């Protein structure tokens, strides 16, 4: 199977309709399974993988860089670097003062990521968080130097407000600096309001490709979390309790199950398919910890929901 690629913003990158979230590598997925998932992802016709230097520093005994290290080992073993659009991020706290977007630190962080990834270039290098303490001209200027040096092909932003993203795009235009060609925001069928109110219109108008995270709301939109008793089903399950396990969340899952039955699909597949039909979305980011879960993501990319299904999902996910 192969999927048509699409441009990511105004960058030279052509990406598959879905992006594999690499936060699971070295966390909930061991090395051998990580390698199998990466092989299967490319084998299924996808080419886009996202990670970050900080993955998975939150795990006891980890220091960050575990995901990048595993991806790097796979790249060396597989020889498939040219088939992959590889994205990573910097800026989250790595300890020992390694945090933020100071120009000196950006240059240190990119070299550390390149070493762990065992590659000489990163396709998409993203600022994991905004850093209001550093002038945008300095951040964009330094990232532009990385592009000029061949270490990075394109740059993107994550977790930026609409105001700050607009300021960054204006800064790039005004000073002829490298521009953010992608945005990585929180967006899914439950978490809609913040993105749709200001970020989505901005990204569409300014041609910034959206690669949203939590596409399945930490697994909640798969329908496997229906009660407090279900929370222990996975390491990520606890996150769904306070965030999504409420009347609105359950209403959304009910609608997903109804649409899924019509399409002979799974609820999570419908949730991904809905995202793929939203304006400005380039490639939702979703993770898998098994080959079966990965195949479900691939199936989702083939679903085309009709107007009735889309309306039912929109109605169920309206804010209370």
């Amino acid at each position: 199977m192969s999927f048509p690629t699409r441009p990511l913003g105004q960058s030279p990158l052509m990406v598959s309709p879905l992006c594999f979230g690499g936060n699971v590598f070295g966390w909930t997925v061991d090395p051998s399974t990580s390698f199998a998932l990466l092989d299967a992802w490319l084998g299924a016709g996808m080419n886009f993988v996202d990670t970050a230097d900080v993955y998975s520093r939150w795990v006891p005994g980890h220091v960050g860089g575990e995901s990048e290290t595993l991806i790097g080992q796979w790249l060396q073993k597989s020889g498939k670097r040219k088939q992959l659009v590889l994205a990573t991020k910097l800026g989250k706290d790595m300890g020992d003062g390694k945090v933020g977007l100071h120009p000196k630190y950006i240059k240190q962080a990119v070299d550390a990521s390149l070493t762990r990834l065992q590659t000489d270039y990163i396709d998409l290098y993203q600022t994991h968080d905004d850093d209001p303490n550093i002038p945008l001209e300095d951040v964009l200027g330094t990232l532009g130097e990385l592009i000029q040096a061949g270490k990075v092909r394109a740059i993107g932003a994550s977790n930026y407000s609409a105001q700050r993203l607009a300021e960054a795009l204006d800064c790039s235009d005004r000073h002829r600096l490298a521009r953010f060609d992608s945005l990585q925001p929180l967006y899914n069928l439950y978490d809609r309001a913040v993105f749709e109110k200001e970020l989505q219109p901005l990204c569409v108008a300014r041609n910034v490709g959206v690669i949203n995270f939590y596409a399945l709301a930490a697994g909640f939109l798969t329908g496997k979390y229906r009660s407090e008793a279900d929370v222990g089903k996975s390491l990520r399950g606890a996150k769904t309790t306070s965030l999504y396990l409420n009347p609105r969340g359950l209403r959304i899952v009910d609608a997903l199950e109804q649409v899924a039955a019509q399409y002979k699909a799974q609820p999570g597949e419908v949730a991904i398919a809905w995202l793929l039909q939203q304006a400005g979305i380039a490639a939702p980011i979703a993770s898998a910890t098994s080959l079966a879960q990965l195949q479900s993501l691939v199936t989702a990319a083939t679903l085309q929901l009709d107007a009735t299904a889309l309306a039912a999902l929109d109605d169920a996910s309206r804010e209370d």
Side-chain angles (χ1 to χ4, degrees):
M1 183 184 297
S2 62
F3 291 94
T5 55
R6 68 278 304 276
L8 186 64
Q10 296 178 10
S11 80
L13 306 180
M14 298 295 293
V15 299
S16 55
L18 290 178
C19 180
F20 195 101
N23 60 322
V24 296
F25 300 140
W27 174 29
T28 55
V29 177
D30 63 23
S32 62
T33 305
S34 298
F35 288 10
L37 289 168
L38 287 163
D39 284 333
W41 191 241
L42 267 62
M46 300 292 182
N47 72 349
F48 199 10
V49 172
D50 174 75
T51 186
D53 58 4
V54 76
Y55 298 162
S56 50
R57 188 169 181 259
W58 58 86
V59 177
H62 286 200
V63 296
E66 287 79 12
S67 174
E68 288 185 334
T69 297
L70 276 177
I71 293 172
Q73 292 169 353
W74 172 78
L75 286 173
Q76 286 302 303
K77 181 180 178 181
S78 69
K80 295 178 179 178
R81 178 66 186 93
K82 292 183 179 179
Q83 298 178 38
L84 189 69
V85 176
L86 179 57
T88 193
K89 302 181 285 290
L90 86 147
K92 292 280 191 187
D93 190 356
M94 290 284 283
D96 299 323
K98 299 175 181 177
V99 64
L101 300 177
H102 188 282
K104 182 178 179 181
Y105 177 58
I106 291 175
K107 294 175 181 179
Q108 294 173 347
V110 73
D111 286 342
S113 286
L114 288 168
T115 298
R116 286 188 292 264
L117 291 165
Q118 299 191 52
T119 183
D120 55 4
Y121 69 98
I122 293 164
D123 294 292
L124 179 66
Y125 199 42
Q126 304 155 92
T127 56
H128 210 154
D129 282 316
D130 185 14
D131 186 346
N133 297 314
I134 307 296
L136 285 167
E137 306 95 276
D138 293 348
V139 173
L140 295 166
T142 304
L143 293 171
E145 290 176 17
L146 301 184
I147 295 175
Q148 291 297 318
K151 294 182 178 182
V152 170
R153 294 182 64 201
I155 61 171
S158 177
N159 298 310
Y160 275 50
S161 68
Q163 178 182 341
R164 285 290 282 175
L165 179 59
E167 289 175 3
L169 294 171
D170 290 343
C171 180
S172 296
D173 290 344
R174 187 166 56 249
H175 298 288
R176 296 185 179 181
L177 298 171
R179 82 189 292 269
F180 288 135
D181 274 314
S182 68
L183 174 70
Q184 190 170 148
L186 169 65
Y187 185 48
N188 55 56
L189 196 53
Y190 185 103
D191 299 294
R192 297 183 60 176
V194 172
F195 174 75
E196 291 180 355
K197 182 178 180 181
E198 296 181 338
L199 283 167
Q200 187 175 36
L202 174 64
C203 289
V204 170
R206 304 291 290 270
N207 193 14
V208 175
V210 177
I211 52 174
N212 53 298
F213 65 87
Y214 268 27
L216 290 173
F220 177 76
L221 297 177
T222 64
K224 68 180 178 180
Y225 302 108
R226 282 289 194 165
S227 67
E228 297 280 349
D230 295 328
V231 169
K233 289 182 177 180
S234 76
L235 289 175
R236 303 178 72 185
K239 292 185 178 182
T240 70
T241 308
S242 59
L243 293 176
Y244 305 116
L245 205 54
N246 54 53
R248 177 171 171 261
L250 295 174
R251 187 173 71 227
I252 292 171
V253 171
D254 285 339
L256 283 169
E257 291 182 341
Q258 291 170 15
V259 173
Q262 297 169 16
Y263 284 83
K264 295 182 172 57
Q266 300 298 318
E269 295 167 1
V270 173
I272 295 287
W274 176 85
L275 280 169
L276 287 169
Q277 292 178 241
Q278 304 307 305
I281 301 298
I285 300 171
S287 298
T289 58
S290 68
L291 293 176
Q293 289 180 3
L294 184 147
Q295 183 55 52
S296 184
L297 294 179
V298 174
T299 298
T302 69
L303 287 180
Q304 187 74 20
L305 305 179
D306 64 22
T308 301
L310 292 171
L313 295 170
D314 283 339
D315 183 58
S317 60
R318 69 184 185 279
E319 297 287 346
D320 292 324

